[in-house]
Amino acid sequence: MIDMVTCGTVIHALGLGGLTLPALNLYASMSSRRLEPCITTLNEIVTACERGSRWRQALHLGTSASTRGLQADVVTRGSLACSYERGSFWLH
């Protein structure tokens, strides 16, 4: 049985391995599995996007967190800032 902790752990491992797309797919599939992501899972996917230089996806996930009832925390904001920096977001 796949639960929220398992999804978060797999998203973390995929992010560490640079496999951002599978991590994003798993995160997106959580609703169909009747699993609502928590702030820890959000932070894992934002960090995976940051590591994979996918700052646009990180920004979207960070800003849409409130639609899932999540409040971005210091970890979320730190990961978003790193993602923007990696994507040279500040230069555009």
Side-chain angles (χ1 to χ4, degrees), residues 6-63:
T6 303
C7 286
T9 302
V10 172
I11 289 169
H12 175 76
L14 290 168
L16 286 175
L19 301 171
T20 310
L21 288 177
L24 285 164
N25 290 336
L26 177 57
Y27 184 81
S29 76
M30 288 180 71
S31 293
S32 67
R33 297 172 192 267
R34 297 187 177 169
L35 299 172
E36 288 302 318
C38 64
I39 192 63
T40 304
T41 310
L42 173 67
N43 290 339
E44 293 296 350
I45 193 61
V46 169
T47 300
C49 288
E50 178 258 320
R51 287 185 179 130
S53 299
R54 295 182 172 273
W55 66 267
R56 285 184 180 95
Q57 284 92 345
L59 173 62
H60 173 72
L61 291 164
T63 57

Side-chain angles (χ1 to χ4, degrees), residues 39 42-43 46-47 71-82:
I39 192 63
L42 173 67
N43 290 339
V46 169
T47 300
Q71 180 69 33
D73 64 7
V74 68
V75 175
T76 313
R77 291 183 184 106
S79 293
L80 288 170
C82 287

